[in-house]
Amino acid sequence: MKYPNLNLGIFTINFDTVMSITQALSPTAYFQDNHKLIALYPLSESQLLSNLQFLKDRIKVIFLEKGNTITIDFKTYDLSDDALFFVNVNQYVWIDHITGESNKIIGYNRDFYCIQIHDKEVACDGLLFSNVLQLPMIQLATEESNKVKESLREIQDEMDLADSSTEEMLRIYLKKLIIFSTRIWKKQNLENKISSNIPLDVDLFRNFSQLIEIHYRSKHSVSDYADLLETSPKILTTKFKKLNLENPNEYIKNRIILEAKRLLIYTSLSIKEIAYTLGYDDPAYFNRFFVQRMGQSPLNFRNENSKNT
């Protein structure tokens, strides 16, 4: 099988070269047509790259069996049940070890699935991939886990078949998995937060999430996003409160802090450059903001955490 080339940001190298240098994961199967790419990767002790940064520019659906541990964007999850994780591009993933035989990653790019006509609840900018409420992950009951495994087998089989309709079938299988997962996520994370007399405004959260992801470097206030949503800060805050969610301001600030932490740990940018990147003209103000949220200066955070990456 001819493996696809990987774009690592600075340069592009062939997958075989990655294998020889980093012992990266080898896909069990993949589909590639021009710029469209989707691949299925196994996760096992014999084939595990702890730092999955070679998939940084891919959207990822990660299936892990119970008993495993995964760290995504500085948060560690110890799994007591099988689980699915939905990881967007530029998020940092780390797995120290793996147990079980069914663990897999679907990695695909936006050209394969995420063009504007897919801009719906189940697209890559939908609830599972652009969500300020929490990292989208779902815990799976036994029956749900079996359905996910079946979906993964369907994707594997279709990639192996590789006929003229494979691209469309793969997109159908992927969309089916995302729809199935979205329903579970909503049930686990939203339905228990509302009473019968409060309407569930899913679009509000999806749109709010998307807007933060687009504008967090330049827009830092609730009023900025209320304007974009054509509502008032008071109404927006009230809707969050009725669902027992944090103030929208917390989600905005948390997204800025998350990016600051990424830039501090995974880049060599100076504190001043990071401040400017995140829309702060006054680096001293950014420093105070970071201390207020994290309890330590950006420099101390970098020094304490860089040694662990």
Side-chain angles (χ1 to χ4, degrees):
M1 177 180 290
K2 182 177 183 292
Y3 294 129
N5 292 336
L6 296 176
N7 185 345
L8 301 183
I10 301 175
F11 51 86
T12 300
I13 60 178
N14 182 271
F15 196 96
D16 292 324
T17 305
V18 177
M19 286 292 295
S20 64
I21 296 175
T22 66
Q23 297 182 334
L25 295 175
S26 173
T28 56
Y30 79 96
F31 169 85
Q32 184 175 22
D33 180 29
N34 293 323
H35 297 294
K36 292 174 285 189
L37 171 66
I38 180 171
L40 188 64
Y41 301 85
L43 282 172
S44 65
E45 281 292 351
S46 62
Q47 192 166 220
L48 171 65
L49 181 67
S50 295
N51 188 346
L52 300 176
Q53 284 311 97
F54 79 102
L55 288 174
K56 181 182 176 182
D57 62 345
R58 301 288 182 259
I59 301 161
K60 294 167 284 293
V61 180
I62 304 175
F63 173 75
L64 289 179
E65 296 180 74
K66 65 180 179 181
N68 286 298
T69 300
I70 185 171
T71 299
I72 303 176
D73 277 339
F74 310 99
K75 184 172 181 179
T76 298
Y77 301 83
D78 296 310
L79 302 182
S80 57
D81 298 291
D82 292 355
L84 274 174
F85 293 84
F86 300 86
V87 183
N88 219 325
V89 297
N90 296 321
Q91 290 186 277
Y92 290 84
V93 182
W94 191 276
I95 302 174
D96 285 325
H97 65 277
I98 202 79
T99 60
E101 300 179 354
S102 299
N103 307 286
K104 286 184 172 59
I105 298 177
I106 303 173
Y108 60 96
N109 62 14
R110 291 175 178 269
D111 290 308
F112 180 79
Y113 186 76
C114 198
I115 58 178
Q116 288 302 312
I117 61 171
H118 297 140
D119 183 15
K120 302 293 183 181
E121 185 176 284
V122 297
C124 67
D125 54 0
L127 283 172
L128 293 181
F129 291 103
S130 182
N131 192 311
V132 295
L133 303 182
Q134 65 182 70
L135 174 76
M137 62 89 68
I138 57 173
Q139 294 175 302
L140 300 168
T142 300
E143 183 178 351
E144 295 167 339
S145 180
N146 289 336
K147 288 183 179 179
V148 170
K149 292 175 183 177
E150 177 60 30
S151 291
L152 294 172
R153 283 192 292 269
E154 288 177 333
I155 292 172
Q156 173 83 57
D157 291 344
E158 188 60 38
M159 288 178 175
D160 291 340
L161 182 61
D163 70 6
S164 59
S165 61
T166 288
E167 178 182 346
E168 192 56 34
M169 285 299 296
L170 287 173
R171 195 171 288 116
I172 290 170
Y173 288 142
L174 178 61
K175 186 172 184 179
K176 184 176 77 170
L177 177 60
I178 294 174
I179 291 173
F180 173 72
S181 302
T182 299
R183 289 172 176 170
I184 297 175
W185 187 90
K186 286 163 64 176
K187 182 177 181 180
Q188 291 181 355
N189 293 275
L190 293 180
E191 289 183 4
N192 63 343
K193 292 180 179 293
I194 63 174
S195 61
S196 58
N197 62 341
I198 299 177
L200 177 58
D201 193 350
V202 172
D203 283 342
L204 173 71
F205 302 119
R206 185 173 70 90
N207 294 337
F208 181 70
S209 297
Q210 292 172 343
L211 290 171
I212 287 182
E213 196 61 31
I214 294 169
H215 298 292
Y216 68 87
R217 295 179 182 86
S218 59
K219 298 183 183 298
H220 297 169
S221 70
V222 176
S223 61
D224 289 331
Y225 294 94
D227 289 344
L228 292 171
L229 291 166
E230 297 182 346
T231 187
S232 70
K234 183 177 180 180
I235 290 175
L236 186 61
T237 300
T238 298
K239 287 187 175 183
F240 274 61
K241 186 176 181 180
K242 283 183 177 180
L243 292 176
N244 298 316
L245 300 173
E246 290 183 302
N247 187 294
N249 182 64
E250 287 298 301
Y251 296 112
I252 298 167
K253 303 308 182 191
N254 286 342
R255 181 61 185 91
I256 297 169
I257 286 294
L258 172 58
E259 196 65 21
K261 289 160 66 177
R262 288 174 176 171
L263 295 172
L264 286 165
I265 299 303
Y266 299 109
T267 77
S268 59
L269 292 175
S270 68
I271 308 301
K272 181 182 294 186
E273 288 171 327
I274 291 173
Y276 293 151
T277 298
L278 295 175
Y280 292 91
D281 295 330
D282 182 358
Y285 180 86
F286 167 74
N287 193 80
R288 292 193 297 272
F289 166 68
F290 192 92
V291 170
Q292 182 184 38
R293 306 292 296 192
M294 296 299 300
Q296 60 182 324
S297 70
L299 182 59
N300 285 342
F301 178 86
R302 168 174 274 172
N303 291 337
E304 288 185 9
N305 291 276
S306 293
K307 60 185 178 183
N308 297 321
T309 60

